[in-house]
Amino acid sequence: MFSPIRSRVRTAALALSAVAALAFGTTATTGAAASPAPAPAPAPAPAKQGPTSVAYVEVNNNSMLNVGKYALADGGGNVFDIAVIFAANINYDTGTKAAYLYFNENVRRVLDNAATEIRPLQQKGIKVVLSVLGNHQGAGFANFPTQQAASAFARQLSDTVAEYGLDGIDFDDEYAEYGRNGTGQPNDSSFVHLVTALRANMPDKIISLYNIGPAASRLSYGGVDLSSKFDYAWNPYYGSWQVPRIALPKSDLSPAAVEIGRTSQSTAADLARRTVSEGYGVYLTYNLDGADRSADVSAFTRQLYGSDAIRTP
């Protein structure tokens, strides 16, 4: 089986200062919710026909602005429709027994400089989503012990989206190390309560699922099925084809996943061809960097959109 190849978010940095840490099973002690950031005024991108393309960016090493540098040679439309900031973390404070949303210094830099790191993409019509990942501390999406605790963390997420003018949240349930630091093991209610609350907080924003980990296998509880609360779900195994097991229409699923620069161009093209021929609506890419990847990107855009990709420096 292919394994996702991802850099760990280990850099010592600042915790989220906009919201206080929230204890599992306790009520939030924060003040008023963050005021929404001014909405960008995107210029309509040239129309393109075909699947939604997603680009995860490791911001420890690379700039989010790389996502906006690729356009289709035929028609000029954006290659990428969604840019994912990889990644914030769910951390755990052993002193207060609190889970909190954490930004390392590189994620913090992107968010604090939204005017130059995020708005240029949104002004091109590209959605910008924040991925949230476990951080080896025992806190994860699947082990909130109560609905109240899950809802409190959902509020941290939605406040962050509002404060920084983001377009949504992506869940990646890896590296939580459930049980560490005295935390609980995954339970059936946690993720359902978390996503239900988040969707209520931000009904018009993107919620996506990187289809891996205990949370991804716990999408139903108490008569509630989370499937319809997600906008997208994608395969987490780069260089492979795997249909996410979630009751979403094909238009919202990416069975294809590629790592740009590591997945061969022939495999990327084959996966793109299959995406179109089997009627799926999303194509996932990971680790877009600052090099000229127009050859790698063109390998799949030819199949998805009938055009090469060009890169603007």
Side-chain angles (χ1 to χ4, degrees):
M1 176 176 288
F2 295 86
S3 296
I5 304 171
R6 296 200 163 198
S7 301
R8 300 288 65 80
V9 186
R10 296 181 184 275
T11 308
L14 300 174
L16 178 66
S17 59
V19 290
L22 301 176
F24 279 66
T26 65
T27 304
T29 57
T30 62
S35 299
K48 74 175 183 186
Q49 299 295 321
T52 296
S53 289
V54 181
Y56 276 80
V57 177
E58 286 263 16
V59 296
N60 282 351
N61 307 308
N62 300 301
S63 170
M64 291 300 297
L65 297 178
N66 292 326
V67 181
K69 293 181 177 181
Y70 291 88
L72 298 177
D74 183 6
N78 297 320
V79 166
F80 298 106
D81 304 287
I82 299 173
V84 184
I85 302 167
F86 188 79
N89 297 97
I90 177 171
N91 274 17
Y92 187 72
D93 187 315
T94 57
T96 60
K97 300 189 184 300
Y100 61 95
L101 184 60
Y102 169 86
F103 303 147
N104 80 359
E105 61 187 3
N106 296 301
V107 173
R108 168 65 68 187
R109 172 185 48 78
V110 171
L111 296 176
D112 285 349
N113 293 282
T116 55
E117 298 279 340
I118 295 172
R119 300 294 174 262
L121 298 179
Q122 292 173 324
Q123 288 163 1
K124 288 175 176 282
I126 299 168
K127 303 291 188 182
V128 180
V129 170
L130 179 66
S131 184
V132 185
L133 179 72
N135 202 18
H136 311 279
Q137 298 183 8
F141 314 129
N143 68 345
F144 288 105
T146 67
Q147 183 173 6
Q148 181 185 38
S151 296
F153 190 73
R155 177 56 63 185
Q156 291 193 48
L157 296 175
S158 58
D159 283 354
T160 296
V161 168
E163 180 176 1
Y164 295 104
L166 300 172
D167 295 297
I169 293 291
D170 175 66
F171 287 107
D172 182 349
D173 190 17
E174 298 180 273
Y175 315 114
E177 296 189 24
Y178 289 105
R180 189 169 184 175
N181 292 318
T183 57
Q185 291 298 317
N187 65 66
D188 290 340
S189 64
S190 176
F191 196 45
V192 173
H193 290 322
L194 175 61
V195 177
T196 298
L198 183 62
R199 176 52 76 201
N201 293 348
M202 43 181 234
D204 300 321
K205 298 290 187 177
I206 292 170
I207 303 177
S208 58
L209 178 65
Y210 190 80
N211 190 48
I212 198 169
S217 64
R218 290 169 168 84
L219 301 180
S220 179
Y221 176 79
V224 176
D225 186 331
L226 282 186
S227 299
S228 65
K229 300 186 187 301
F230 288 100
D231 294 281
Y232 304 105
W234 28 71
N235 170 19
Y237 300 108
Y238 305 120
S240 76
W241 178 272
Q242 185 180 106
V243 180
R245 294 183 178 179
I246 181 172
L248 284 172
K250 283 186 170 184
S251 58
D252 300 332
L253 296 176
S254 181
V258 301
E259 182 171 0
I260 294 174
R262 291 182 65 96
T263 301
S264 71
Q265 292 178 18
S266 61
T267 297
D270 288 344
L271 292 172
R273 190 178 303 111
R274 187 170 178 183
T275 297
V276 172
S277 67
E278 296 191 22
Y280 287 95
V282 189
Y283 188 85
L284 178 70
T285 74
Y286 168 67
N287 207 25
L288 182 67
D289 60 18
D292 184 348
R293 298 294 181 182
S294 53
D296 294 303
V297 174
S298 292
F300 61 80
T301 61
R302 291 187 199 106
Q303 305 303 321
L304 297 177
Y305 312 117
S307 173
D308 282 339
I310 55 175
R311 178 181 181 272
T312 301

